[in-house]
Amino acid sequence: MAAVPDETSHYRICPLCEACCGLQIRIADGRVQSIRGDEADPFSIGYICPKGVALKDLHEDPDRLRTPLIKRDGRFVPASWEDAYAEIERRLPPILAAHGKDAVGFTLGNPSSHKYSLILYTARLLKAVGSKNIFSASTLDQMPKQLSNGLMFGHWLTLPVPDIERCGFLLMLGANPMASNGSLWTVPDFRGKAKAMRARGGKLVVIDPRRTETAAIADEHHFIRPGGDAFLLLGMVHTLFDENLVKLGRLAEHVNGIDDVQAAVKDFAPERVAARCGIAAETIRDLARTLARTERAAVYGRIGTCVQEFGTLNSWLVDVLNVLTGHLDQEGGAMFAKAAAFAPNTIGRPGTGRGVITGRWTSRVSGKPEVYGEIPMNCLAEEIETPGPGQVKALISIASNPVLSAPNGPRLAAALDSLEFMVSMDIYLNETSRHADVILPGVSPLEDSHYDVPFPMFSVRNHARYSAPVLPLSDGQVPEWQTMMKLVAIARGLGAEADVLALDDELLADDVRKQAGPHADAVVAALAGRRGPERLLDLALRMGPYGDGFGTRPGGLTFERVKAAPSGLDLGPLQPRIPEVLRTPSGKIELAPPLVIADVARAAARLDRPVDDIVIIGRRHVRSNNSWMHNLPLLAKGPNRCTALVHPADAQRLGLHAGAFARISGRTGRHIEAEVEVSDEMMPGVISVPHGWGHDLPGAQLGVAAERPGANLNAVLDDALTDPLSGNAVLGGVVVRVVPA
Ligand SMILES: Nc1nc2c(c(=O)[nH]1)N[C@H]1C(S)=C(S)[C@@H](COP(=O)(O)OP(=O)(O)OC[C@H]3O[C@@H](n4cnc5c(=O)[nH]c(N)nc54)[C@H](O)[C@@H]3O)O[C@H]1N2
Ligand SMILES: Nc1nc2c(c(=O)[nH]1)N[C@H]1C(S)=C(S)[C@@H](COP(=O)(O)OP(=O)(O)OC[C@H]3O[C@@H](n4cnc5c(=O)[nH]c(N)nc54)[C@H](O)[C@@H]3O)O[C@H]1N2
Ligand code: SF4
Ligand SMILES: [Mo]
């Protein structure tokens, strides 16, 4: 490519998905000239997918909000930041004063975990308000895994990941990293790593009701009846005991509860569960044998195993298999990353802790237990609709779009209209933010600095990578942490005029006092000159496991050292971390948490569930991301992706024709219509529609997305269905009725 005069080169971690690829971005005349994978990035080594390239479209999108909006007489009008904050100050504190903290609810969306400005300062805002009504995308996604791993290993964020670069057998359930680029497993270039594994003689087996893009590059694929994973996994654990394949290796002295696990699985012989999961008994036994006999192997389950009625049980069983075969915390097995900053499993006394509990409070209307400080998203509509003390009367939505992403979205949309007040921190006027009274826009990722907070905890290799802003803030833009601090000031009664930079200093000093005790003053002094998330990052890096400890470990990491490496620092391959990583009260892996063991009986009671006529599941496409990238021309072009995929036999039996429309209805009483695509990649009896579509709702401002709106899968999914342990929504294996439209 010919160099453009005055072109400059910048390095930026992509914030769009969990792969966290390093990008090289060329800028000339203040405009993006090109975006490609950064070959010098020690972690992603040049990998990029089409969404990374679309950061240019996102940056330039004319629909992306650049000024606050205030709703006046039902219509949004652009407003100054001062007016927007004044409106919030006028309307929010009276609700808090009259009805208490729980009257202000929060919805936290997926992009907030991809911006350190948002994730670090959301914590500050939640603390300032003190509401129990916190709802997030986590209960539409991974809460079962966080709960099961929290119970087993002692913290909600201590999740093992397959060490794919050294693995010889990887059993994958309910994940499609070829489309998603990995989840709770930061693994850029999954395809390349899977190919390399197979070239080494390793084997990939995929369990999925659809023969996915990942199944297509695997050695073996088995269809599973949606919702059947618990039965397959129970059958595998049963086989390990039955055939004397349990081998804990060096884990032996670190595990509690083996006998309880053995007792719990005794009724789940493969021959007994085969029909329920749709996988032959001999296959179940073979999978268990291969897992046990392969020296380096791992089981990995992701969203398909979480968004089920047995989500927690599934997630637990995945790691029970890893432990019982000695593959947990073993090279080439399921290992724990050691993140350079912010990781709770690197903080405090190594090897023991308080562990996790649920149900410290319950939701007001249906009594669902709190999990990790949250109430299930499935409870949000009823908490808004139902009068009485504690009713949610105001909502602050932070980078979330639950009207499209939560089951029974239309019910939620109606509920949002009944709120007394709603604020959206969002970059679009979309299906959810249209319900707000004030919208506070975020900045383009290219105008923001960046450090991944959660994802280094789930990475296939340890690394520390910081990105400086690629472009300066354009006129009128405000960093999101400062917007959040304004809300903190309002919630604390200091008013919108408060000096948020001084308030930030004050909160930082509080943090430091907690972490550094007697050395607090010296630490605060050492951080002088920085503010906002950068200062929090410096603190976390220096106090972290590779940090300089503010002088106690000379040569250790500091913000300056990480920043000095524009493509990032490599911190090496994953290392065994047990027992140091554990934070359970016993200091052991709790293989048989009573909460989960008790749930096995619920599975037993559902063992003979007859096969449903047709059930629905979701899917992802590499050119889409949840609900909000359909407005980017580069990604929007190409064939219709919001199609209803069905097996030819189902198409014939139901009278569906490729290219014609199917009408799909669910227990919500609503229906959607989606273009039919016929393919034997689907398991018979299962239909698949992707989520995050339905951009035809009035009042949104998404010019490109509205041209091909697609249908909202979540209009037919049922908010009454949850995994009772984690409160997670059931989004797969849901019974629907399908007829030609
Ligand atoms: N049926 C079904 N439903 C699902 C799923 C499924 O598989 N099937 N998946 C679930 C999963 S895994 C998830 S994580 C959830 C996601 O659920 P949500 O997080 O609610 O949805 P997103 O589509 O990620 O929407 C994010 C919102 O953030 C805004 N946004 C984007 N970037 C920024 C930014 O930089 N700053 C700010 N302030 N806002 C920004 C977008 O405009 C959008 O409104 O959906 C869930 N819903
Ligand atoms: N391109 C793109 N990338 C994304 C996203 C996106 O929307 N688009 N979303 C991001 C988010 S928020 C997340 S959480 C991750 C999710 O990342 P993944 O977990 O990899 O998600 P999916 O690609 O939806 O894969 C889930 C698989 O589960 C299968 N499945 C459904 N029901 C069952 C079942 O009962 N049992 C089994 N075994 N399998 C089942 C589905 O067919 C599907 O292939 O992806 C992230 N990355
Ligand atoms: S896989 Fe694509 S969207 Fe995900 S981080 Fe990499 S470039 Fe960004
Ligand atoms: Mo997600």
Side-chain angles (χ1 to χ4, degrees):
M1 196 188 305
V4 177
D6 302 323
E7 195 175 72
T8 52
S9 203
H10 306 257
Y11 299 90
R12 178 62 160 89
I13 297 165
C14 177
L16 299 179
C17 92
E18 297 178 46
C20 305
C21 303
L23 308 178
Q24 185 189 24
I25 303 180
R26 291 187 196 272
I27 302 286
D29 294 333
R31 296 202 47 176
V32 175
Q33 305 298 318
S34 69
I35 300 182
R36 59 172 82 175
D38 175 11
E39 306 274 348
D41 186 303
F43 182 61
S44 63
I45 319 177
Y47 182 74
I48 186 170
C49 88
K51 289 189 296 299
V53 183
L55 273 172
K56 175 178 162 73
D57 283 12
L58 177 63
H59 183 72
E60 294 171 358
D61 188 347
D63 284 334
R64 186 169 59 78
L65 300 179
R66 286 154 174 90
T67 66
L69 302 178
I70 301 180
K71 198 181 266 164
R72 302 253 184 243
D73 303 321
R75 287 192 47 213
F76 281 109
V77 291
S80 68
W81 285 93
E82 291 70 29
D83 286 352
Y85 295 137
E87 180 74 4
I88 296 169
E89 193 178 355
R90 188 173 73 78
R91 297 180 64 181
L92 193 66
I95 296 173
L96 280 165
H99 305 289
K101 326 185 231 207
D102 296 337
V104 178
F106 287 85
T107 55
L108 315 176
N110 172 278
S112 41
S113 51
H114 292 269
K115 270 188 163 172
Y116 72 159
S117 219
L118 285 176
I119 195 168
L120 297 173
Y121 281 79
T122 296
R124 295 231 185 286
L125 179 58
L126 296 179
K127 188 152 182 238
V129 174
S131 171
K132 292 198 176 83
N133 280 313
I134 299 166
F135 307 84
S136 91
S138 293
T139 51
L140 304 172
D141 183 351
Q142 81 279 4
M143 200 57 105
K145 197 175 176 86
Q146 290 193 267
L147 174 57
S148 74
N149 285 5
L151 292 168
M152 294 172 85
F153 310 125
H155 196 279
W156 306 96
L157 292 169
T158 298
L159 318 181
V161 297
D163 180 21
I164 188 171
E165 295 187 317
R166 295 177 286 191
C167 186
F169 174 64
L170 178 53
L171 175 63
M172 187 179 296
L173 306 94
N176 184 13
M178 286 290 290
S180 69
N181 281 302
S183 180
L184 298 181
W185 187 26
T186 289
V187 56
D189 191 18
F190 165 78
R191 180 207 290 265
K193 291 180 170 69
K195 248 174 113 171
M197 178 176 88
R198 296 189 59 207
R200 290 193 308 269
K203 193 170 161 188
L204 174 64
V205 176
V206 171
I207 310 286
D208 198 299
R210 180 180 153 235
R211 195 170 61 248
T212 59
E213 296 82 349
T214 304
I217 63 154
D219 298 86
E220 258 176 52
H221 163 245
H222 302 281
F223 283 132
I224 184 164
R225 263 178 74 190
D229 299 78
F231 303 93
L232 162 66
L233 296 165
L234 284 162
M236 287 180 67
V237 176
H238 183 281
T239 305
L240 294 180
F241 286 108
D242 190 40
E243 302 188 8
N244 262 322
L245 295 167
V246 173
K247 195 184 83 194
L248 296 179
R250 63 171 272 277
L251 295 178
E253 57 179 304
H254 303 294
V255 181
N256 274 344
I258 301 230
D259 295 344
D260 294 335
V261 173
Q262 180 166 16
V265 302
K266 74 173 185 324
D267 295 334
F268 296 92
E271 295 66 26
R272 181 74 180 88
V273 299
R276 182 64 174 83
C277 59
I279 297 178
E282 203 44 32
T283 307
I284 299 173
R285 288 189 181 273
D286 274 344
L287 288 171
R289 290 172 193 145
T290 309
L291 181 69
R293 289 177 186 149
T294 308
E295 198 190 333
R296 296 176 166 203
V299 189
Y300 166 72
R302 206 31 297 268
I303 193 168
T305 61
C306 285
V307 292
Q308 293 188 14
E309 60 175 327
F310 298 114
T312 305
L313 204 52
N314 291 335
S315 301
W316 169 71
L317 287 162
V318 162
D319 287 309
V320 166
L321 285 168
N322 282 322
V323 170
L324 291 180
T325 52
H327 296 313
L328 186 88
D329 202 43
Q330 179 211 45
E331 280 186 14
M335 300 191 79
F336 301 100
K338 186 188 266 188
F342 305 113
N345 64 33
T346 63
I347 295 168
R349 204 169 128 211
T352 179
R354 276 185 302 184
V356 310
I357 50 168
T358 62
R360 291 170 298 169
W361 55 87
T362 54
S363 74
R364 182 180 60 104
V365 179
S366 57
K368 297 230 172 29
E370 151 278 338
V371 180
Y372 199 12
E374 296 187 17
I375 300 292
M377 186 65 95
N378 271 352
C379 298
L380 177 57
E382 67 188 20
E383 292 295 335
I384 298 174
E385 292 161 354
T386 313
Q391 181 182 11
V392 172
K393 290 180 177 275
L395 188 74
I396 300 179
S397 161
I398 299 170
S400 78
N401 191 9
V403 168
L404 294 192
S405 42
N408 213 348
R411 172 184 177 188
L412 189 56
L416 296 180
D417 276 335
S418 72
L419 288 165
E420 284 180 19
F421 187 56
M422 176 172 165
V423 178
S424 270
M425 288 187 66
D426 209 288
I427 56 169
Y428 286 111
L429 169 46
N430 67 10
E431 298 76 16
T432 295
S433 62
R434 72 193 168 122
H435 297 274
D437 298 285
V438 179
I439 308 179
L440 301 170
V443 300
S444 159
L446 301 186
E447 297 177 351
D448 208 2
S449 63
H450 181 87
Y451 187 92
D452 284 304
V453 175
F455 307 111
M457 298 179 217
F458 319 127
S459 290
V460 286
R461 195 175 171 89
N462 294 314
H463 56 92
R465 299 175 303 149
Y466 163 86
S467 311
V470 172
L471 289 163
L473 275 181
S474 40
D475 284 350
Q477 302 293 288
V478 177
E480 278 150 304
W481 69 271
Q482 291 187 22
T483 307
M484 201 81 87
M485 285 300 291
K486 283 284 187 189
L487 300 183
V488 170
I490 293 170
R492 288 175 52 145
L494 303 171
E497 306 280 298
D499 177 351
V500 295
L501 300 183
L503 183 57
D504 187 47
D505 291 344
E506 204 183 292
L507 297 182
L508 184 273
D510 289 347
D511 286 351
V512 173
R513 268 192 293 278
K514 271 182 223 128
Q515 290 182 44
H519 310 292
D521 289 344
V523 169
V524 170
L527 294 168
R530 278 186 231 300
R531 59 172 37 133
E534 252 170 42
R535 181 166 54 184
L536 291 173
L537 173 59
D538 198 13
L539 174 64
L541 282 169
R542 299 179 73 175
M543 300 288 275
Y546 310 87
D548 80 341
F550 290 93
T552 59
R553 289 186 299 266
L557 290 189
T558 62
F559 175 75
E560 282 306 329
R561 263 200 68 201
V562 175
K563 188 181 173 190
S567 295
L569 294 175
D570 181 24
L571 300 174
L574 304 185
Q575 306 284 346
R577 288 194 62 191
I578 285 181
E580 158 271 313
V581 74
L582 299 173
R583 293 293 183 275
T584 49
S586 61
K588 305 261 173 141
I589 298 170
E590 294 297 348
L591 203 63
L595 187 72
V596 187
I597 292 284
D599 205 40
V600 175
R602 193 169 60 95
R606 301 278 275 154
L607 190 47
D608 294 312
R609 174 177 168 164
V611 179
D612 302 289
D613 182 55
I614 194 150
V615 296
I616 197 159
I617 63 169
R619 71 177 188 274
R620 284 174 162 76
H621 190 281
V622 76
R623 286 181 175 267
S624 171
N625 191 19
N626 294 333
S627 73
W628 67 278
M629 286 184 207
H630 301 143
N631 212 51
L632 308 179
L634 180 73
L635 301 179
K637 68 184 188 199
N640 175 18
R641 296 195 182 94
C642 186
T643 59
L645 256 178
V646 283
H647 188 270
D650 287 324
Q652 194 178 27
R653 149 177 100 82
L654 299 166
L656 304 174
H657 300 283
F661 276 68
R663 171 184 290 227
I664 303 167
S665 38
R667 207 198 58 97
T668 60
R670 298 191 179 81
H671 68 263
I672 54 169
E673 295 186 352
E675 186 184 329
V676 175
E677 209 179 325
V678 179
S679 167
D680 68 3
E681 74 194 44
M682 290 309 299
M683 183 176 190
V686 186
I687 185 167
S688 159
V689 175
H691 75 286
W693 297 86
H695 304 294
D696 50 0
L697 298 176
Q701 180 185 308
L702 297 164
V704 175
E707 282 171 31
R708 284 205 300 181
N712 179 10
L713 166 64
N714 280 313
V716 295
L717 295 186
D718 187 350
D719 54 349
L721 301 178
T722 54
D723 164 32
L725 271 49
S726 65
N728 208 85
V730 175
L731 305 170
V734 176
V735 178
V736 287
R737 213 171 82 83
V738 184
V739 296

